[in-house]
Amino acid sequence: MWKTVLIYGLALALGAVALQWLDYRIWARAHAGEVWIALVAAGFLGLGVWVGARLFRPRILAGGFELNTPAMASLGITRREHEVLGLLASGRSNKEIARQLNLSPNTVKTHIARLYEKLEAARRTDAILRARELRLIP
């Protein structure tokens, strides 16, 4: 709070010095209205950016991740498909997933295709986003 007040105070002081530097008697008297409008606009812009950053920052859950098993059961996602989904979310390719789970790449493709159907997704990013919304993966 104090830091913000000091920053705004410093900005206003710099604005005053800048006006003095630009020869206050000639320039500021001729354009006094525009100067005040610009200062007020800059103040509101800064306030809006600060409020927006405070209101819309991502919130981290303190309790950690908790798997939504009812959603997993209602969608019919198997344990193996859940493993594939987790590796998919970590950015692994089909071949890497197949190597890690000791499966063939075609089996991995089948699991991914079924996950797309169950999550109603068209591509990997859609499936991962939907799974995160349903709390199936962290």
Side-chain angles (χ1 to χ4, degrees), residues 16-54:
V17 169
L19 287 177
Q20 190 66 28
W21 181 71
L22 292 171
D23 195 13
Y24 177 76
R25 291 179 189 220
I26 297 170
W27 190 81
R29 285 191 182 174
H31 303 287
E34 291 87 351
V35 169
W36 283 107
I37 289 172
L39 288 174
V40 170
F44 278 113
L45 174 69
L47 182 65
V49 168
W50 179 76
V51 168
R54 298 280 290 194

Side-chain angles (χ1 to χ4, degrees), residues 106-119:
N106 288 332
T107 305
V108 171
K109 287 178 187 177
T110 302
H111 285 311
I112 291 173
R114 287 189 182 149
L115 281 169
Y116 288 172
E117 290 173 14
K118 292 176 181 180
L119 294 171

Side-chain angles (χ1 to χ4, degrees), residues 1-8 50 54:
M1 171 78 177
W2 287 104
K3 197 177 193 180
T4 306
V5 171
L6 289 174
I7 290 172
Y8 278 111
W50 179 76
R54 298 280 290 194

Side-chain angles (χ1 to χ4, degrees), residues 51-137:
V51 168
R54 298 280 290 194
L55 288 178
F56 297 110
R57 77 174 120 190
R59 299 181 193 257
I60 299 171
L61 300 175
F65 175 73
E66 185 177 326
L67 179 63
N68 187 358
T69 51
M72 201 163 121
S74 70
L75 290 172
I77 295 176
T78 64
R79 182 186 59 80
R80 183 60 92 177
E81 288 172 343
H82 187 258
E83 290 175 3
V84 169
L85 183 61
L87 293 171
L88 196 68
S90 66
R92 299 235 170 34
S93 69
N94 290 357
K95 288 182 181 181
E96 291 171 333
I97 295 171
R99 260 186 254 127
Q100 187 163 349
L101 297 178
N102 294 324
L103 300 171
S104 76
N106 288 332
T107 305
V108 171
K109 287 178 187 177
T110 302
H111 285 311
I112 291 173
R114 287 189 182 149
L115 281 169
Y116 288 172
E117 290 173 14
K118 292 176 181 180
L119 294 171
E120 298 174 359
R123 59 186 64 87
R124 286 177 184 247
T125 53
D126 294 338
I128 293 167
L129 179 65
R130 179 94 167 111
R132 286 199 173 125
E133 287 172 353
L134 292 171
R135 292 182 327 198
L136 299 177
I137 54 174

